[in-house]
Amino acid sequence: MAATALLSPWRAAAAPPRVAVELEVRRAPGTERCPGEELLREEMARQLGYDPVEPSAALQARTLIFRGPGREVHATLEIHDAEGAVTWSRHLVAYNDDCTELVMNMALSLRVALDPRLRVQPALDPALSPSAPPLPLSSPVEAAAELPPPAAGPDLTAGLALASVFGLLQDTTPGAGLHLALRYPSFSLGVEGSAQWPAEMKVDRGSVATWLATASAVPCTRASHLFACAFVSIGVVTTAATDVAINEASALWLATGPRAGFEMRLSRLFTVQAYGDIVLRLSEFRIETPTAVLWAPPAVGGLVGLRLDVSLSAVRGARPPRAELARGPWAPH
């Protein structure tokens, strides 16, 4: 009996009473692909050691996931008591579109709020009454709306591309290019310059070589890892002959068409893209002698490319600074 009496307080401390909470997870437009209630509930159960979610619980945990500037994803969290008053709230941020990291941090914050073993009593401020209530947030949606407008701009990226064209010159030929773009969460505005390796064509005992250099404007729309673009190109195409009498000249090159591709982020700095173009030639170009046309390209050709982009904003350390978080039950976040 004495041993039981001595061990009882220890057992009570090791197994605190369970807390039940009703969970509501909302995702604002643009975050539909982020994990929702299922992952958050599973991670809360793993950290607490039991599933605290009950549909009719007196406590309510309300969360909202929404997008911020650049590749930021935000979340607001609130716990309401049986009377509907806000007793706890937090604001979390994840960078690089990492919704999974954000949900894991949400689960950790809710665990700290629900587990009495992790509660830390703050030092009393003489200016505050011990019975002073926490600063409330009216609702997660209003909390998101009341956030100050972000000062961060779009992400600036630069890239190096390797590409091959086919159907535009006498033969399939590789080339290289440079790309510069302003990237927003769902679209980008880019410019690029490229040059193709000379394409050669044999004529009798001689040969004809053709060079192509272009500059392009490339607006794109983006969804997850996929993107679709339109491009307009202007440049110059030049022909030169060896042991063949042709009308050597440089001509204006105009083309347009669609682009589609897939991208994969390697790190905070680097992204790799694979893409393909359908090139619609708008200008006239042909290889001819004084008496005959030796070759004229078709009106439609193609291009396939692979590009490595680096985020210049990340290189400059343009990530907006995190505000120091206040601690304790009266923290306004």
Side-chain angles (χ1 to χ4, degrees):
M1 293 175 61
T4 302
L6 290 173
L7 289 175
S8 295
W10 178 84
R11 289 176 179 173
R18 297 189 175 190
V19 179
V21 65
E22 181 179 346
L23 181 63
E24 176 186 352
V25 179
R26 302 175 64 184
R27 290 175 289 190
T31 62
E32 294 84 356
R33 294 180 178 270
C34 290
E37 180 176 342
E38 182 178 353
L39 178 60
L40 179 57
R41 181 173 179 177
E42 177 183 335
E43 185 63 17
M44 289 174 61
R46 187 186 69 81
Q47 295 194 25
L48 286 167
Y50 66 93
D51 186 359
V53 178
E54 292 184 9
S56 58
L59 291 180
Q60 296 180 349
R62 299 178 182 175
T63 69
L64 172 68
I65 302 174
F66 60 97
R67 286 201 169 276
R71 299 176 65 83
E72 294 179 9
V73 188
H74 295 243
T76 57
L77 304 89
E78 295 178 345
I79 292 183
H80 297 246
D81 61 17
E83 287 73 32
V86 178
T87 60
W88 176 91
S89 64
R90 286 294 183 272
H91 174 209
L92 304 177
V93 184
Y95 297 90
N96 297 326
D97 257 346
D98 198 338
C99 289
T100 301
E101 176 190 350
L102 181 65
V103 173
M104 295 297 182
N105 291 338
M106 291 167 64
L108 179 59
S109 294
L110 289 171
R111 176 202 173 185
V112 173
L114 296 176
D115 192 336
R117 295 172 298 181
L118 302 178
R119 295 176 186 168
V120 178
Q121 297 298 328
L124 292 179
D125 189 335
L128 293 175
S129 168
S131 60
L135 297 178
L137 294 175
S138 55
S139 72
V141 175
E142 292 177 5
E146 291 171 3
L147 288 176
D155 187 17
L156 178 63
T157 64
L160 176 64
L162 298 176
S164 293
V165 299
F166 51 91
L168 300 176
L169 303 176
Q170 301 96 299
D171 196 2
T172 299
T173 179
L178 295 175
H179 184 89
L180 191 67
L182 291 175
R183 290 193 53 162
Y184 297 83
S186 58
F187 69 96
S188 64
L189 300 173
V191 292
E192 61 187 28
S194 63
Q196 300 304 130
W197 191 262
E200 291 191 3
M201 177 180 67
K202 296 295 183 180
V203 179
D204 295 331
R205 297 181 178 179
S207 63
V208 178
T210 304
W211 291 264
L212 175 62
T214 62
S216 306
V218 190
C220 299
T221 180
R222 302 178 177 277
S224 185
H225 298 289
L226 303 178
F227 60 90
C229 315
F231 66 87
V232 177
S233 301
I234 184 171
V236 60
V237 57
T238 302
T239 57
T242 302
D243 298 329
V244 181
I246 67 168
N247 299 332
E248 297 184 5
S250 296
L252 177 68
W253 178 272
L254 289 175
T256 187
R259 170 179 296 179
F262 173 86
E263 73 174 6
M264 178 179 298
R265 179 167 289 277
L266 303 178
S267 68
R268 189 167 65 91
L269 292 178
F270 298 105
T271 304
V272 64
Q273 290 187 355
Y275 58 92
D277 296 354
I278 298 177
V279 183
L280 308 176
R281 183 173 52 85
L282 303 178
S283 57
E284 289 294 329
F285 164 65
R286 60 185 62 186
I287 300 174
E288 55 187 358
T289 67
T291 58
V293 175
L294 298 180
W295 182 82
V300 180
L303 177 147
V304 291
L306 186 68
R307 190 174 79 228
L308 178 66
D309 284 347
V310 59
S311 172
L312 300 182
S313 300
V315 170
R316 295 197 312 266
R319 174 182 291 185
R322 302 191 187 194
E324 183 177 353
L325 298 181
R327 301 185 182 276
W330 298 286
H333 52 280

